[in-house]
């Protein structure tokens, strides 16, 4: 009995201690919530934007925002206006909506806003050091010259090619079309999902493969493309996991996905280094317009050749940055066409009418003639913008024009160009997917900003007044825009001439959007039925 009493007493003592700890923690949490609520009601700085009401300190509106950013933005807009602040994992994040908000943030001056401090922790472990957000902005602007046309710089009697952006010249784009078509056709031939006269396929997973194959073959060369049939596929997946949202705060954490990310980064870097080394060793004449060849002969403005390690890291960045947006967008295009078989048939008939009944091979020039194909891409990007939030760190106090607000340096700014493209003041019936809204040339040009500015990598549209900004604006505007349109148009046109598409009988409408990662994409699997066209 004595031993039993001692044991019972010991257990009761432990239980009491645990209960006391839980009680103290609960009381602390309750007081923290109470203080947080009182602070919001009693402390209101009229010089700062209103703060979205939230119960839990630090967590703030993180969960509500993360589940559906656009629903969150529109709800807050109705209550607070175009400028408001919410708590995102303890950080005061000020949202500026509308065309003025987009211009305020995305065309902000370097002395006022900074992208590197926001994205460096997330992207550097994935891309590698010395490129994109792991270098001064001036160096990044030089690196962006890789992609779009630029003039030669004359230094005395010597012609030194800066980062002449061969990758997206008309000549390069023309060479990419047959490569993209070939990759799509080859995938269809070998895929088990496309056997027989009809069937079904999971759109997101299929398009993820096709976009990585087409982009790697066209932009990065045959050696890189060949790797994706074996070792690169798994490495790419592990590296892709590095974009997990938790890595905005804990990129260094020894988590399993981060260990795999780091291993994949080293292996992919070495693979690119081996390709570069082999090309330099044999000094063979370049046999394509791929980026690796062009970077190998390029120099920085000061005359320094681009180090091979930076070429490797730029290739990883080029591959990773474009894959998510293109894969998601082509998936949305096919999913939308499955809900509108009439539009899919119009696309096919457009090819017959414009290109001829024998449907000649797709080329860069004849793709430019397919207006409805272009409108389908534009309309899909309008509704399904790949990136819902673009953030900048405030470096000096910023006055929001037309308001009493001054944004302090303790805040992060957030632009959401997708809000304007989903707003009825700019687009009637904004939630309706209707490619023919772009048929009117006058309306089409209303959304194209004519003002140009050179941030150091060639003239680009400033985009300050446009409600349609699928590729962003300002110095960080996506430099792959031309290639993205070409890739999307080529894949869409190829699929349309091969198949008719429709939803399964038990499926109505379109799948929801997954906002859980940095890039928006279709939620889960999304199956579409296909039927092979006659004679294909």
């Amino acid at each position: 009995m004595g031993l039993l009493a001692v044991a019972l007493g010991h257990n009761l003592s432990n239980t009491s201690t645990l209960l006391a700890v839980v009680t103290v923690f609960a009381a602390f949490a309750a007081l923290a919530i109470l203080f947080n609520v009182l602070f919001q009601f009693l402390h209101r700085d009229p010089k700062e934007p209103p703060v979205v009401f939230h119960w839990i300190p630090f967590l703030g509106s993180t969960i509500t925002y993360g589940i559906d950013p656009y629903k969150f933005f529109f709800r807050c807009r109705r209550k607070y206006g175009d400028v408001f602040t919410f708590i995102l994992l303890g950080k005061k994040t000020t949202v500026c909506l509308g065309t003025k908000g987009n211009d305020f943030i995305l065309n902000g001056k370097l002395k006022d806003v900074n992208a590197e401090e926001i994205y460096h922790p997330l992207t550097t472990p994935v891309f590698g050091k010395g490129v994109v957000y792991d270098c001064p902005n001036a160096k990044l602007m030089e690196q962006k010259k890789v992609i779009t046309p630029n003039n030669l710089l004359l230094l005395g009697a010597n012609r030194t090619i800066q980062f002449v952006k061969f990758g997206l010249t008309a000549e390069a784009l023309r060479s990419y079309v047959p490569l993209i078509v070939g990759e799509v056709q080859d995938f269809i031939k070998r895929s088990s999902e496309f056997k027989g006269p009809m069937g079904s396929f999971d759109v997101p997973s299929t398009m993820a493969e096709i976009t990585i194959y087409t982009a790697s073959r066209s932009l990065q060369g045959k050696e890189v493309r060949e790797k994706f049939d074996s070792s690169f596929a798994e490495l790419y997946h592990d590296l892709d996991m590095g974009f997990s949202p938790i890595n905005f705060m804990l990129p260094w954490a020894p988590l399993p996905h981060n260990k795999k990310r780091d291993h994949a980064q080293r292996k992919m870097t070495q693979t690119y280094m081996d390709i570069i080394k082999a090309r330099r060793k044999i000094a063979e004449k370049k046999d394509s317009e791929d980026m690796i060849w062009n970077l190998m002969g390029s120099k920085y403005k000061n005359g320094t050749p681009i180090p091979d390690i930076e070429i490797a890291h730029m290739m990883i960045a080029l591959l990773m940055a474009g894959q998510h947006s293109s894969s998601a967008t082509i998936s949305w295009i096919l999913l939308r066409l499955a809900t509108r078989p009439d539009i899919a048939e119009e696309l096919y008939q457009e090819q017959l009418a414009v290109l001829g009944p024998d449907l000649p091979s797709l080329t860069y020039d004849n793709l430019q003639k397919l207006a409805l194909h272009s409108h389908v891409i534009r309309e899909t990007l309008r509704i399904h913008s790949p990136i819902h939030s673009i953030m900048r760190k405030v470096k000096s106090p910023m006055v929001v024009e037309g308001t009493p607000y001054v944004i302090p340096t303790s805040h992060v700014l957030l632009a959401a160009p997708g809000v304007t493209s989903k707003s009825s003041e700019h687009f009637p019936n904004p939630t309706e997917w209707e490619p023919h809204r772009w048929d009117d040339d006058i309306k089409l040009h209303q959304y194209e900003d004519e003002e140009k500015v050179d941030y150091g990598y060639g003239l680009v549209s400033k985009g300050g007044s446009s409600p349609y900004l699928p590729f962003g604006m300002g110095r960080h505007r996506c430099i792959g825009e031309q290639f993205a349109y070409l890739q999307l148009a080529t894949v869409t046109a190829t699929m349309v001439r091969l198949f008719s598409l429709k939803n399964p009988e038990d499926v109505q409408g379109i799948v929801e959007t997954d906002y859980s990662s940095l890039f928006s994409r279709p939620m889960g699997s999304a199956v579409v039925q296909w039927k092979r066209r006659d004679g294909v």
Side-chain angles (χ1 to χ4, degrees), residues 261-404:
R261 172 203 65 191
D262 295 341
H263 170 75
Q265 208 285 330
R266 289 190 297 268
K267 290 288 290 184
M268 289 186 74
T269 297
Q270 189 58 52
T271 299
Y272 281 115
M273 292 286 285
D274 291 343
I275 291 172
I276 296 167
K277 183 178 179 181
R279 288 185 176 187
R280 291 196 189 282
K281 186 175 181 180
I282 59 177
E284 63 177 307
K285 185 178 179 181
K286 72 175 185 177
D287 58 357
S288 68
E289 293 293 333
D290 70 63
M291 291 292 183
I292 297 178
W293 275 121
N294 296 313
L295 281 168
M296 286 169 60
S298 297
K299 298 178 180 180
Y300 283 112
K301 188 176 180 179
N302 62 9
T304 303
I306 309 174
D308 288 353
I309 188 69
E310 290 187 10
I311 295 177
H313 290 166
M314 275 191 263
M315 288 301 96
I316 293 174
L318 181 67
L319 187 69
M320 302 297 294
Q323 161 64 9
H324 294 86
S325 54
S326 294
S327 173
T329 302
I330 191 60
S331 294
W332 286 121
I333 289 174
L334 297 185
L335 291 170
R336 286 290 181 177
L337 290 176
T339 68
R340 291 286 305 273
D342 58 314
I343 296 293
E345 184 60 26
E346 281 189 63
L347 292 177
Y348 182 63
Q349 293 301 322
E350 180 181 56
Q351 290 194 43
L352 292 173
V354 175
L355 306 182
D358 58 337
L359 286 182
S361 298
L362 293 171
T363 66
Y364 174 79
D365 293 314
N366 62 30
L367 280 171
Q368 312 308 307
K369 302 174 184 178
L370 302 176
L372 184 57
H373 284 65
S374 175
H375 298 346
V376 163
I377 295 170
R378 284 177 175 270
E379 180 69 352
T380 304
L381 286 168
R382 182 188 70 80
I383 291 183
H384 302 288
S385 179
I387 299 181
H388 55 76
S389 303
I390 304 174
M391 300 182 187
R392 298 287 184 264
K393 178 71 176 70
V394 180
K395 302 299 292 181
S396 61
M398 298 178 67
V399 177
V400 182
E401 185 179 354
T403 77

Side-chain angles (χ1 to χ4, degrees), residues 164-182:
V164 182
K165 297 183 272 181
F166 287 111
L168 292 182
T169 61
E171 180 183 359
L173 291 172
R174 283 188 171 87
S175 73
Y176 295 159
V177 174
L179 297 177
I180 295 171
V181 172

Side-chain angles (χ1 to χ4, degrees), residues 83-374:
V83 184
F84 55 88
T85 297
F86 75 100
I87 305 301
L88 178 62
L89 294 177
K91 198 71 177 177
K92 286 188 174 181
T93 304
T94 297
V95 181
C96 299
L97 300 176
T99 55
K100 291 182 179 180
N102 295 335
D103 187 44
F104 176 68
I105 296 175
L106 301 181
N107 278 324
K109 297 179 180 179
L110 279 177
K111 69 179 183 65
D112 295 326
V113 295
N114 180 280
E116 287 78 7
E117 289 187 35
I118 297 293
Y119 295 109
H120 165 81
L122 183 74
T123 60
T124 300
V126 175
F127 299 156
K129 293 186 176 297
V131 302
V132 192
Y133 294 117
D134 190 59
C135 62
N137 188 264
K139 183 177 179 180
L140 171 60
M141 294 303 105
E142 287 194 63
Q143 291 174 353
K144 292 178 80 167
K145 291 180 183 179
V146 175
I147 306 299
T148 52
N150 188 42
N151 294 325
L152 299 180
L153 177 68
L154 298 179
L155 295 177
N158 297 320
R159 259 188 176 181
T160 301
I161 299 181
Q162 293 188 54
F163 284 24
V164 182
K165 297 183 272 181
F166 287 111
L168 292 182
T169 61
E171 180 183 359
L173 291 172
R174 283 188 171 87
S175 73
Y176 295 159
V177 174
L179 297 177
I180 295 171
V181 172
E183 287 293 339
V184 176
Q185 292 175 338
D186 289 345
F187 180 88
I188 297 298
K189 289 177 182 177
R190 66 175 183 269
S191 173
S192 60
E193 292 186 304
F194 293 98
K195 301 300 182 185
M198 63 182 66
S200 61
F201 70 103
D202 181 66
V203 175
S205 62
T206 299
M207 290 303 107
E209 285 194 66
I210 285 179
T211 51
I212 201 69
Y213 294 154
T214 55
S216 60
R217 178 62 186 94
S218 54
L219 291 175
Q220 303 204 357
K222 60 184 179 181
E223 302 106 316
V224 177
R225 167 63 187 91
E226 289 167 358
K227 297 289 184 181
F228 273 101
D229 285 334
S230 53
S231 58
F232 251 38
E234 185 175 350
L235 291 175
Y236 175 86
H237 175 268
D238 291 343
L239 198 56
D240 186 41
M241 295 303 292
F243 283 129
S244 173
I246 193 175
N247 282 353
F248 269 113
M249 296 187 65
L250 303 172
W252 45 264
L255 302 172
H257 73 269
N258 282 347
K259 291 181 179 179
K260 290 183 178 180
R261 172 203 65 191
D262 295 341
H263 170 75
Q265 208 285 330
R266 289 190 297 268
K267 290 288 290 184
M268 289 186 74
T269 297
Q270 189 58 52
T271 299
Y272 281 115
M273 292 286 285
D274 291 343
I275 291 172
I276 296 167
K277 183 178 179 181
R279 288 185 176 187
R280 291 196 189 282
K281 186 175 181 180
I282 59 177
E284 63 177 307
K285 185 178 179 181
K286 72 175 185 177
D287 58 357
S288 68
E289 293 293 333
D290 70 63
M291 291 292 183
I292 297 178
W293 275 121
N294 296 313
L295 281 168
M296 286 169 60
S298 297
K299 298 178 180 180
Y300 283 112
K301 188 176 180 179
N302 62 9
T304 303
I306 309 174
D308 288 353
I309 188 69
E310 290 187 10
I311 295 177
H313 290 166
M314 275 191 263
M315 288 301 96
I316 293 174
L318 181 67
L319 187 69
M320 302 297 294
Q323 161 64 9
H324 294 86
S325 54
S326 294
S327 173
T329 302
I330 191 60
S331 294
W332 286 121
I333 289 174
L334 297 185
L335 291 170
R336 286 290 181 177
L337 290 176
T339 68
R340 291 286 305 273
D342 58 314
I343 296 293
E345 184 60 26
E346 281 189 63
L347 292 177
Y348 182 63
Q349 293 301 322
E350 180 181 56
Q351 290 194 43
L352 292 173
V354 175
L355 306 182
D358 58 337
L359 286 182
S361 298
L362 293 171
T363 66
Y364 174 79
D365 293 314
N366 62 30
L367 280 171
Q368 312 308 307
K369 302 174 184 178
L370 302 176
L372 184 57
H373 284 65
S374 175

